[in-house]
Amino acid sequence: MASEKHFKYVILGGGVAAGYAAREFGKQGVQPGELAIISKESVAPYERPALSKGYLFPQNAARLPGFHTCVGGGGEKLLPEWYTEKGIELILSTEIVKADLASKTLTSAAGATFTYETLLIATGSSTIKLIDFGVQGAESNNILYLREIDDADKLVAAMQAKKDGKAVVVGGGYIGLELSAALKINNFDVTMVYPEPWCMPRLFTAGIAHFYEGYYASKGINIVKGTVASGFDADANGDVSVVKLKDGRVLDADIVIVGVGGRPLTGLFKGQVEEEKGGLKVSFTLVLMNASN
């Protein structure tokens, strides 16, 4: 028989927001057994930005428990033992597949149910994948994405298997820039590809982007702008071997990392809450009032 548990508070999601929220609950004196964090990941909340930086260093790479929240905010590192001491239940490796806000009930893929009085939605986002758009060959091995620690482990394994090889990074945002730098540090031949006229166009002016692109070029990173990946070829083992660009160019590749954005994970709440601009509409006034109490 599937289990059922009840909590006064549930944080749905195990990312950065969950860890920092748990710290605040602890400061406010949450009682043992009142709060649970439900996460599909197998580890306690951690500082996700580490995955595209220190986690990929060729020497002295960052590993858990070194970057559990809340070290990114200059605070205490919340190891799994911290949650136990506070009486906060970590329910890990648990994917919630149904959320009924009217009955305040969450149901997991294994059939377990969790009821609550107050729900904090911290589900974050999922990566946009080229396979979703039917890009030819996008299911090939070593076409990788980076969102969670499992993704980072796959990238590290691919880097070790294709040591000193050729890497193509699709995307010119934060992920693209950081992973290009990490791959170069690991002695890969790196090419960045993005459709915009310069990197980080939503944040950088042309002048600022020109500076960074020049710096990357000085480190030996090839930059291809104004086009996108339109297809991939694979070798006999199913490993990606070629990236075909929309402008007709072809790039050899042992690893491809795609960083073209994400989508808010709101599907569980479809039709139950008001949405706006692809996300859940919230009251900032209410959030600020709650934060000040």
Side-chain angles (χ1 to χ4, degrees):
M1 181 179 292
S3 62
E4 179 174 328
K5 290 186 176 182
H6 176 78
F7 300 94
K8 185 175 182 179
Y9 308 104
V10 167
I11 300 173
L12 181 56
V16 175
Y20 281 79
R23 179 179 68 173
E24 189 60 32
F25 271 104
K27 288 181 180 178
Q28 298 296 326
V30 67
Q31 297 300 305
E34 288 186 334
L35 171 63
I37 295 175
I38 303 176
S39 172
K40 70 181 183 67
E41 294 195 68
S42 61
V43 295
Y46 55 89
E47 302 286 346
R48 205 172 297 270
L51 300 182
S52 58
K53 301 179 180 68
Y55 205 85
L56 304 178
F57 286 174
Q59 287 91 32
N60 301 316
R63 290 291 182 270
L64 292 176
F67 55 94
H68 279 299
T69 55
C70 298
V71 295
E76 178 185 4
K77 187 192 306 180
L78 307 186
L79 301 176
E81 294 79 11
W82 179 88
Y83 297 90
T84 301
E85 292 167 1
K86 295 291 183 180
I88 299 170
E89 187 163 348
L90 284 175
I91 303 173
L92 304 176
S93 302
T94 300
E95 182 180 7
I96 296 299
V97 295
K98 181 180 179 182
D100 187 331
L101 300 185
S103 67
K104 298 187 175 183
T105 301
L106 306 173
T107 304
S108 76
T113 57
F114 308 92
T115 58
Y116 59 85
E117 297 174 33
T118 299
L119 177 67
L120 194 160
I121 299 171
T123 46
S125 62
S126 62
T127 53
I128 294 174
K129 297 187 176 182
L130 298 182
I131 196 170
D132 298 336
F133 302 102
V135 176
Q136 175 266 323
E139 73 284 352
S140 302
N141 300 330
N142 290 342
I143 298 179
L144 306 170
Y145 301 82
L146 184 63
R147 178 65 187 168
E148 301 174 353
I149 200 165
D150 287 348
D151 300 325
D153 286 337
K154 291 176 184 176
L155 176 54
V156 169
M159 289 164 59
Q160 292 171 345
K162 303 294 184 178
K163 189 174 177 62
D164 301 336
K166 295 180 181 293
V168 175
V169 177
V170 179
Y174 278 118
I175 292 294
L177 288 168
E178 293 181 357
L179 291 184
S180 293
L183 286 159
K184 192 63 184 179
I185 291 171
N186 281 275
N187 204 38
F188 275 79
D189 181 350
V190 182
T191 299
M192 290 181 67
V193 178
Y194 46 90
E196 297 86 3
W198 60 75
C199 65
M200 297 283 285
R202 288 181 293 178
L203 292 179
F204 288 174
T205 64
I208 294 173
H210 179 73
F211 169 82
Y212 279 101
E213 288 172 352
Y215 180 78
Y216 271 54
S218 73
K219 297 297 183 180
I221 295 174
N222 182 38
I223 298 176
V224 179
K225 298 183 281 188
T227 190
V228 296
S230 60
F232 304 91
D233 289 343
D235 63 18
N237 296 319
D239 293 343
V240 67
S241 58
V242 167
V243 181
K244 294 180 284 189
L245 305 183
K246 190 174 182 180
D247 66 6
R249 279 181 278 187
V250 174
L251 305 172
D252 292 334
D254 299 299
I255 297 175
V256 175
I257 303 95
V258 181
V260 293
R263 295 189 182 94
L265 283 168
T266 60
L268 285 171
F269 314 102
K270 202 77 175 174
Q272 301 185 76
V273 294
E274 190 174 354
E275 296 185 52
E276 186 174 284
K277 297 180 179 179
L280 303 180
K281 188 175 181 179
V282 299
S283 168
F284 287 102
T285 302
L286 177 61
V287 171
L288 290 172
M289 287 174 62
N290 283 345
S292 65
N293 287 344

